[in-house]
């Protein structure tokens, strides 16, 4: 079976394999529990809460995540938002001007931007009209230099989850890494692929504290993968990529699981209410099923409606220029009162 043949070494760029990583002061001496005098990092010794460099391995945050997700600490890497985590995947596995990635538009725009920044070809394979991966076409498009396949599920901007059968087929047949971006998984009725992480050596799952956890401002992205993959990413990440304030805030939030779940429940309740209300707006032609905290709708004239909503003080996302998304608008589910304002504005411009 192909899975048995999977060899992480054959995917890693040669220069990354040969690289000797930067060793920071906090990497070289880690016994922080002992009452030591720290004169190793040229810090200002006067305490103000952030005068010391942060833990480069974010151990306490990872331990909290490890407990919460039942994933070993060595299988977790944290970044300055998911965007940094995704960028590290390019840097580790994609040789500029030689390798390629596969993305499935309409999807999250950062994969394509990161491919451009890293000088990597992006082989785009459109989703089907039902917004599902076109598995056969993806496998036909893939070649020996296809290193990363990005599956965003639930997908942004369409909102739906990809079928488990398609994802499993891709995991088994694609020869590079399959990156499942689960930024919206906490709003979904589908299970996270984290549960099956140890079944697939080529599976990478990314999550974030930016959406359901309500912490877009602190920038914390999470990558879960085999410890072999995490070791490679760790080697190339900037030494102090997650700052002290972010680590503290994240840890606190992860400790209040009930509060987070409570907010998710409220957002889901609002999502269902909004979904029903949108049906009564005359110029909305289609409301797509969603597993995320936003709803994609097709309207008569997306640009006109977008402008009218701006006039009414409401900012949404016009997705009309995305493939398969002509005349669509993406609406984030807000608080009850925000959603009432949205519906009122939609009615006012009918
Ligand atoms: C919002 C979003 C993210 C989050 O990115 P961060 O850098 O962690 O804020 C990642 N992926 C998708 C698909 C998103 O929509």
């Amino acid at each position: 079976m192909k899975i048995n043949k999977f060899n992480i070494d054959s995917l890693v760029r040669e220069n990354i394999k040969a690289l000797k990583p930067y060793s920071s002061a906090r990497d070289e001496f880690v016994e922080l529990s002992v009452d030591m005098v720290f004169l190793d990092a040229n810090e200002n010794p006067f305490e103000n809460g952030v005068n010391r460099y942060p833990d480069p391995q974010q151990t306490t945050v990872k331990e909290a995540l490890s407990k919460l997700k039942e994933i070993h600490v060595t299988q977790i890497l944290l970044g300055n938002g998911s965007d940094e985590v995704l960028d590290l995947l390019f840097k580790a596995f994609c040789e500029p001007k030689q390798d390629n990635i596969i993305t499935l538009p309409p999807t999250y725009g950062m994969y394509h931007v990161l491919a451009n920044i890293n000088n990597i070809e992006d082989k785009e394979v459109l989703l089907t009209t039902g917004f599902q991966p076109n598995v056969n076409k993806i496998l036909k498009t893939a070649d020996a230099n296809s290193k990363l396949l990005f599956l965003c599920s639930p997908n942004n901007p369409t909102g739906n989850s990809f079928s488990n059968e398609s994802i499993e087929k891709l995991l088994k047949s694609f020869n590079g890494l399959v990156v499942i971006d689960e930024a919206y998984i906490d709003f979904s009725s589908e299970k996270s692929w984290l549960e099956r992480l140890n079944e697939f050596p080529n599976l990478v799952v990314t999550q974030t504290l930016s959406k359901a956890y309500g912490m877009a401002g602190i920038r914390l992205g999470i990558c879960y993968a085999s410890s072999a993959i995490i070791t490679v990413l760790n080697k190339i990440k900037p030494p102090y990529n997650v700052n002290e304030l972010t680590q503290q805030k994240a840890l606190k939030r992860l400790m209040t699981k009930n509060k987070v779940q409570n907010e998710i429940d409220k957002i889901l309740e609002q999502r269902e209410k909004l979904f029903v209300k949108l049906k009564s707006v005359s110029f909305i032609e289609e409301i797509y099923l969603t597993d995320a905290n936003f709803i994609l709708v097709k309207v008569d004239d997306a640009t006109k409606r977008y402008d009218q909503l701006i006039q009414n003080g409401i900012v949404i996302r016009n997705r009309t220029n995305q493939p398969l998304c002509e005349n669509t608008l993406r609406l984030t589910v807000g608080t009850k009162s925000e959603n009432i304002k949205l519906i009122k504005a939609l009615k006012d411009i009918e």
Side-chain angles (χ1 to χ4, degrees), residues 20-58:
K20 190 174 180 306
Y22 173 74
S23 181
S24 70
R26 285 295 165 273
D27 274 323
E28 286 183 10
F29 188 85
V30 282
E31 244 175 284
L32 289 168
S33 52
V34 193
D35 196 14
M36 300 297 263
V37 176
F38 285 101
L39 304 175
D40 58 345
N42 303 343
E43 297 148 334
N44 176 329
F46 298 101
E47 285 296 335
N48 61 21
V50 289
N51 59 313
R52 298 291 174 184
Y53 278 102
D55 174 6
Q57 279 303 319
Q58 310 100 17

Side-chain angles (χ1 to χ4, degrees), residues 271-279 287-289 295:
R271 182 179 81 187
E272 299 323 304
K273 289 215 165 101
L274 191 56
F275 197 94
V276 172
K277 287 266 165 50
L278 289 172
K279 289 182 184 170
I287 311 167
Y288 297 95
L289 290 177
I295 302 176

Side-chain angles (χ1 to χ4, degrees), residues 91 314 330:
K91 293 202 156 58
I314 292 175
R330 193 192 68 192

Side-chain angles (χ1 to χ4, degrees), residues 79-84 86 107-111 152-156 181-184 206-211 215-216 219-222 294 330:
N80 183 12
S82 316
D83 293 344
E84 182 181 53
L86 299 173
T107 193
Y108 186 46
M110 269 316 276
Y111 315 137
C152 185
S153 183
N155 186 41
N156 178 5
D181 184 340
E182 293 190 337
Y184 299 99
T206 64
Q207 295 184 356
T208 175
L209 293 201
S210 296
K211 306 288 158 60
M215 306 201 101
R219 313 302 303 128
L220 193 84
I222 310 155
F294 55 83
R330 193 192 68 192

Side-chain angles (χ1 to χ4, degrees), residues 99-105 121-126 134-149 170 173-175:
D99 289 334
N100 64 73
I101 62 155
I102 298 182
T103 64
L104 317 181
E121 183 193 357
D122 178 12
K123 290 179 182 271
E124 299 184 310
V125 181
L126 278 196
N134 189 335
V135 175
N136 290 336
K137 186 124 188 253
I138 292 167
L139 295 177
K140 250 188 244 160
T141 303
D143 59 29
N145 292 315
S146 301
K147 296 298 181 72
L148 306 172
L149 165 62
L170 290 166
S173 315
F174 182 71
N175 287 315

